[in-house]
Amino acid sequence: MKRLTRKILSITLLCSMAIALAQTALAAELVTDDKVNFRADASLDANIIKTISTGTAIEVIDHDPSGWTKAKIDGTVGYIKSEYLTIPTSSGAVAFKTTDGVNFRSGPSTDSDVLRTLAAGFNVDVLEHNPAGWSKVAINGINGYIKSEYLSVTGHVAQEAAAASQQSAASQQSSSQQAASASQQSASSQQQASGTLKTIDGVNFRSGPTTDSDVLKVLSVNTSVEVIDRDSDGWTKARVDGAVGYIRSDLLSVTGRAVELLNWSVVSQIMPYHTSLKVIDVRTGLTYNVKCFSKGDHADVEPATKADTDTILQIRNGVWSWDARPIWVVIGDHLVAASIHAMPHSVSTIPDNGMDGHICMHFLGSVTSSTSEYYKRDLQNAVQEAWNAR
């Protein structure tokens, strides 16, 4: 019988970190929560290898929470409907990964506030798991909810579970590889090199633009790569130590950090007072430092030094302006999408910084005291531009 809500209590990872980085599958242990059929393929029409009793431990190879789980039992590989699997009970949270970009919300509803947007492959601690609905998760001590269909113990949706049979899956996979290769060739003929980027996580450097291509090497966080081409299918052709290969584009950034779209309710908790924060102007790449002295409906900030004020004016062509610009802000270990205007006003707390007054920094969900609907849209549109430019 389906359990609509399950308390997830522990998981045992069976693969070493090196293997997890080099392979697409991550072994983990789950148990059956009901008597269930163990099948030869990801289909109700597939042959039944055996019937598994309640509480049987299985080794997970691929996990699609809304479909089928590829598993190993007593050395035999087969498939089980994911809704009949749960976690062995021993501790309070389980490490899952996002399978795609997904919103982390304050409640189990698409109407709930978006606390932040997570990239694919982001690690979360699952507290409660409903495979057919929402999972309660914890990220950096903050509890919220994610649609369960975007979570997996492996960090990706099982390839085989998407096909009616292994044969048809192989055929589709081959076609996908050919299409990706053709797209890459087309993109390569049209695009030019775009400089140097950095890895935002441990990442596989592959021989081709698919997850099935050979892993040439595993790159550590913050490794610089020379970009040759970037295609529309999510892969970057790059050169590392003289070797040419491919890296998933979402694992590269100009800073070596993943840009995050965090709600102001989250940012206001982690942003320190009176501490220099690095700001990156998205459109020019120029950087400067600001300090926050007030966190109400948004952040009130000032340039940390006169040199920072000069950089702001350089970005604005020497003219103070209410127009919003997209920026990335370094807050601790976070690189956050935001926006900022450049019109000094009201109080200031830093003397001799070349600016009389302060300016306002905005994040997703922050508000302004202005009654201008255009100004409000301009600020939030710039936040989205900063997020889209990651």
Side-chain angles (χ1 to χ4, degrees):
M1 182 177 181
K2 294 183 180 179
R3 295 185 179 181
L4 295 181
T5 305
R6 299 184 177 92
K7 181 74 71 173
I8 298 183
L9 300 170
S10 78
I11 194 168
T12 304
L13 296 180
L14 302 179
C15 292
S16 67
M17 184 176 294
I19 294 176
L21 288 171
Q23 299 177 345
T24 58
L26 177 65
E29 185 180 276
L30 298 177
V31 297
T32 54
D33 68 356
D34 204 345
K35 191 174 182 179
V36 61
N37 290 325
F38 184 49
R39 296 182 180 272
D41 204 354
S43 169
L44 292 174
D45 296 325
N47 292 333
I48 297 173
I49 299 173
K50 62 167 68 175
T51 299
I52 308 301
S53 59
T54 303
T56 299
I58 67 166
E59 179 184 337
V60 175
I61 299 174
D62 279 313
H63 180 58
D64 177 0
S66 60
W68 292 83
T69 292
K70 185 178 182 181
K72 183 183 292 185
I73 302 176
D74 298 330
T76 302
V77 175
Y79 296 81
I80 297 174
K81 285 286 286 182
S82 299
E83 65 195 66
Y84 296 111
L85 296 173
T86 187
I87 308 300
T89 58
S90 66
S91 62
V94 179
F96 272 56
K97 289 186 178 182
T98 54
T99 63
D100 202 348
V102 61
N103 289 326
F104 176 50
R105 296 182 180 273
S106 60
S109 164
T110 54
D111 295 326
S112 300
D113 290 338
V114 177
L115 301 180
R116 63 190 292 183
T117 299
L118 309 176
F122 193 94
N123 289 309
V124 301
D125 290 329
V126 175
L127 305 176
E128 297 178 4
H129 185 50
N130 174 9
W134 294 80
S135 288
K136 184 178 181 180
V137 306
I139 299 175
N140 295 334
I142 298 173
N143 292 345
Y145 294 83
I146 295 175
K147 285 283 285 182
S148 299
E149 64 190 88
Y150 295 108
L151 292 173
S152 167
V153 293
T154 63
H156 66 286
V157 177
Q159 296 291 331
E160 290 84 358
S165 68
Q166 291 178 335
Q167 183 177 3
S168 62
S171 175
Q172 291 179 4
Q173 188 178 58
S174 176
S175 297
S176 176
Q177 291 177 11
Q178 292 174 4
S181 178
S183 175
Q184 176 65 28
Q185 291 174 2
S186 174
S188 296
S189 65
Q190 297 175 9
Q191 298 180 349
Q192 300 299 318
S194 55
T196 300
L197 295 177
K198 294 182 179 180
T199 56
I200 64 174
D201 203 347
V203 58
N204 291 325
F205 183 50
R206 297 182 178 275
S207 61
T210 73
T211 54
D212 294 318
S213 299
D214 292 338
V215 177
L216 302 178
K217 64 191 306 183
V218 178
L219 306 179
S220 59
V221 176
N222 211 35
T223 298
S224 295
V225 304
E226 179 187 345
V227 175
I228 299 173
D229 287 302
R230 307 192 85 184
D231 69 23
S232 59
D233 291 328
W235 289 88
T236 292
K237 185 177 182 181
R239 182 179 288 108
V240 179
D241 296 332
V244 175
Y246 296 82
I247 302 170
R248 274 176 41 197
S249 298
D250 61 335
L251 298 178
L252 295 170
S253 81
V254 294
T255 62
R257 307 184 191 200
V259 178
E260 300 175 79
L261 185 63
L262 301 184
N263 192 280
W264 171 237
S265 62
V266 175
V267 175
S268 62
Q269 297 178 47
I270 63 175
M271 176 182 283
Y273 286 110
H274 310 299
T275 301
S276 287
L277 304 171
K278 182 178 180 180
V279 174
I280 304 168
D281 183 75
V282 169
R283 295 174 185 169
T284 65
L286 294 175
T287 65
Y288 55 93
N289 296 302
V290 299
K291 293 183 178 181
C292 173
F293 69 88
S294 175
K295 295 184 290 186
D297 291 333
H298 54 264
D300 293 325
V301 302
E302 300 169 85
T305 67
K306 185 178 184 304
D308 296 312
T309 299
D310 292 342
T311 300
I312 293 174
L313 279 173
Q314 178 184 351
I315 292 170
R316 300 284 181 156
N317 295 318
V319 179
W320 296 116
S321 171
W322 287 105
D323 290 343
R325 285 188 73 90
I327 58 173
W328 296 332
V329 187
V330 179
I331 306 175
D333 292 330
H334 303 276
L335 182 64
V336 187
S339 66
I340 197 168
H341 68 66
M343 181 59 73
H345 63 286
S346 190
V347 300
S348 60
T349 66
I350 302 177
D352 304 323
N353 69 349
M355 191 181 83
D356 184 16
H358 70 272
I359 53 181
C360 300
M361 181 183 292
H362 282 261
F363 298 83
L364 179 68
S366 62
V367 296
T368 174
S369 58
S370 172
T371 59
S372 169
E373 292 300 322
Y374 170 80
Y375 180 59
K376 294 176 184 177
R377 287 195 305 270
D378 189 37
L379 289 166
Q380 289 301 308
N381 286 343
V383 173
Q384 290 296 324
E385 181 180 341
W387 167 243
N388 294 335
R390 67 194 187 283

